[in-house]
Structures are given as structure tokens and as C-alpha cells.
Amino acid sequence: MRHVYECPMRWADLDLLGHVNNAVYGDYLQEARIDMIRTLGASHATEATSEADGLVVVRTRVDYLRPLLFRLGTVRVETYVEEIRPATFTLAYEVVDDPAHGGPGDDRIVYVRARTVLTPFRFASETPRRLTDEERARLEPYLEPGQEPRTPAVAPASGQRSAPGHLRVPVRFSDVDAYGHVNNVTYLEYLQEGRIELIGRLWGAAPGAPAEQGRPGPALVVARAELDYRVPMVPRAEPYDVHTTIERIGRTSMTFGTEIVDATGEAETCCARGRVVVVFVDRVTGRPVQPDEEDLRPLRELGS
């Protein structure tokens, strides 16, 4: 069984290319997840029932299969349980248009497939806990075991840190969730800010920007994003440090590694690690392209 949420789309969800922005899908998944939690009813494993107990996202993976364009109305998000373990469970999602349920067109279209690993969490002691039998029973009707291997943790970035890849990111008031932590979706925005800043410094303009802003090179479209949440980030005056590196450059794609750290103490603390695969695309046709050598040269120099 799958939980279905008809997610409203907003004009503000769009990026420079006129597609739903990659980070916005995190909002769609979160809205679908919360709607499912409400359907399951009050339970510490599925809905925060006190200030001291709730759910924490441990890991996220999003695969972007095709662009979603804006329209008036909603897009369908199907959510199900892929795995239940003693102290965590994994939710899987498909963002789709399905003509069998009122979607446009004649074929079922999948825009995104994603997973989130969640754990029940006691905020008073800042510790995870195990699922109860009652909580497992609430989740089991939605269990649809996945065929893919479990999503592994994101390894430390393999590229070298550099000045162009360093960005200081302040926490905005709107970045914070009901628990007083930076919301899990906001981390995807921080990853995006880091790689756009890096590419902008190397190319002299943001990727896909108008020609009059410099030489922007081809546009970048995200194909996959993986993110591990390690230590909660909290609102404060001091910015966090985002370090973005280039781990791999292919013919039409590139992989970024990102670490978000707290460098205010004696020892640096890693708050999150991310890895994002992007595809170079033509700004007119939207098809993958191999960048010009002039565009590739600064990327290779930084990644070497």
C-alpha cells in the first residue's frame, strides 16, 4: 500500500531554467511525509507528540529522472515504507503524474525517486531510540521492500578543499524547523549555494545565467543528490562553513562533494556530508552536452 499526497505547486518553486528546483523536491517529500504521518495517527515513531520526542531524518537520496514544469494544481507524491529496522525506517517516494488518477497525458511519468532514512529521537537527551511494536505495526501496512541495496553513508569528500569552494552560510530564521534545528530540506539549499558559488567563481557567472553576466558556460541539471545528517545545526549569529569540491568530471556530467562544518570550536565538527551529480545541458534544448574546453579547464585545475 502507498500513501498518496497531492502536493500543491508554487510559482516560487521554479529555478532559472523554468523547472521545479532540485532543492524544492525536498519540500515536496517532506510535505508528503508529514501527510502520511498524520494519516498513521499519533505515535512517537510517526509524529512528534511532545516537545521531547519526534523524528529525525538521518539520510536522504534523491534521483531526478526528468524535469517537472510548473502548472496550476498539484503533483502526486506516492510514499511507502521500504525497510523497517530496530531503530530506523526508510521511506521511499515517487513524484509522478499518473493518468489513472487524473494526471495529464496518457502515460505514467516519474519525475523523482527518493528515499529518506528516519529515526525516532528524544530531543531532551539528544539521543535516538528504538521503534516500539506499536510503531512497527503502524508502518507495516505500507511496507514495500525495495529491490535496490540500502543507501550507504556518504563518504568524506575526496577532493581538496580550496578558497573558491569555501562559502560561509548564515542560518536564516526561516531555515529552522519546529524542533529549533535547521530543517532537513534546507541542507539541500546549502549544498546548492555552495556549488553555484564555486562554479560562479570559476566561470565568472552562475551556470545558465544570461550571456551579459559573463561567460556562464552550459547549464547544470542535478541528476542525483545524497546527504547524510550528522550533527544538528542551530540558529546562531556565526555562519557555518560549506566546503565544496569537485570529485569527478565526466564527458557530460560532474560530481561535487560537500561538507558543512562548524569551525567555531577548537576542533572542526562535521554537520553534514553531501554528494551531488550534475549533468551539463544545453540551455536551449535541455539535452546533455560536452562542455567546451574553455569551460572545463578551470574545473579540471581545481579538481586535480
Side-chain angles (χ1 to χ4, degrees):
M1 180 169 65
R2 293 189 176 190
H3 176 79
V4 175
Y5 176 63
E6 294 292 340
C7 184
M9 299 178 66
R10 300 177 180 176
W11 182 256
D13 294 347
L14 304 185
D15 61 18
L16 191 63
L17 300 174
H19 306 155
V20 171
N21 182 267
N22 71 93
V24 171
Y25 283 101
D27 271 325
Y28 291 1
L29 304 180
Q30 179 170 247
E31 292 300 308
R33 180 168 65 246
I34 291 172
D35 191 69
M36 180 177 178
I37 287 168
R38 290 170 178 157
T39 300
L40 290 174
S43 167
H44 285 168
T46 55
E47 185 175 33
T49 55
S50 74
E51 293 182 357
D53 209 352
L55 278 177
V56 168
V57 178
V58 177
R59 184 168 300 132
T60 293
R61 171 173 163 172
V62 186
D63 289 296
Y64 305 88
L65 305 180
R66 61 188 300 164
L68 174 59
L69 305 179
F70 176 78
R71 60 171 181 261
L72 298 175
T74 64
V75 65
R76 182 183 179 94
V77 185
E78 298 178 355
T79 308
Y80 57 96
V81 179
E82 193 173 65
E83 184 181 49
I84 304 174
R85 294 174 63 80
T88 64
F89 62 97
T90 301
L91 293 183
Y93 315 78
E94 288 188 341
V95 181
V96 303
D97 276 331
D98 191 338
H101 298 90
D106 299 323
D107 300 314
R108 177 181 169 89
I109 300 173
V110 181
Y111 298 101
V112 157
R113 289 193 176 99
R115 295 170 172 167
T116 53
V117 180
L118 301 105
T119 184
F121 199 81
R122 296 206 181 278
F123 288 99
S125 59
E126 291 288 326
T127 56
R129 65 165 178 81
R130 296 170 70 91
L131 289 159
T132 66
D133 290 341
E134 178 186 355
E135 292 162 352
R136 294 177 67 90
R138 291 177 183 269
L139 294 169
E140 283 173 351
Y142 295 89
L143 186 60
E144 187 178 317
Q147 301 301 314
E148 297 184 32
R150 189 177 305 126
T151 302
V154 177
S158 59
Q160 296 295 318
R161 289 182 179 180
S162 65
H166 179 212
L167 178 66
R168 306 204 74 202
V169 175
V171 175
R172 298 176 179 174
F173 185 82
S174 58
D175 293 346
V176 181
D177 62 19
Y179 303 129
H181 300 158
V182 172
N183 185 270
N184 69 93
V185 175
T186 304
Y187 287 74
L188 290 170
E189 295 183 12
Y190 293 168
L191 263 60
Q192 178 172 250
E193 292 300 311
R195 68 177 176 273
I196 294 297
E197 185 73 18
L198 170 60
I199 293 299
R201 289 170 177 172
L202 296 180
W203 282 354
E212 57 267 20
Q213 294 186 15
R215 179 180 173 81
L220 303 180
V221 172
V222 178
R224 175 180 295 168
E226 299 173 272
L227 185 58
D228 277 356
Y229 306 88
R230 299 177 61 84
V231 175
M233 296 169 63
V234 297
R236 66 185 195 187
E238 185 72 14
Y240 288 87
D241 291 272
V242 178
H243 294 280
T244 304
T245 65
I246 297 175
E247 297 190 345
R248 177 184 177 275
I249 300 173
R251 191 177 69 85
T252 61
S253 66
M254 177 167 56
T255 302
F256 293 94
T258 301
E259 292 182 326
I260 304 174
V261 303
D262 179 359
T264 59
E266 294 183 3
E268 179 181 279
T269 300
C270 179
C271 301
R273 290 193 180 117
R275 180 161 289 110
V276 176
V277 179
V278 301
V279 177
F280 302 106
V281 298
D282 184 271
R283 286 182 286 168
V284 177
T285 67
R287 298 185 64 81
V289 295
Q290 183 173 2
D292 296 337
E293 184 57 36
E294 185 176 352
D295 296 319
L296 287 173
R297 187 179 303 110
L299 306 179
R300 288 174 174 155
E301 289 175 354
L302 186 73
S304 62

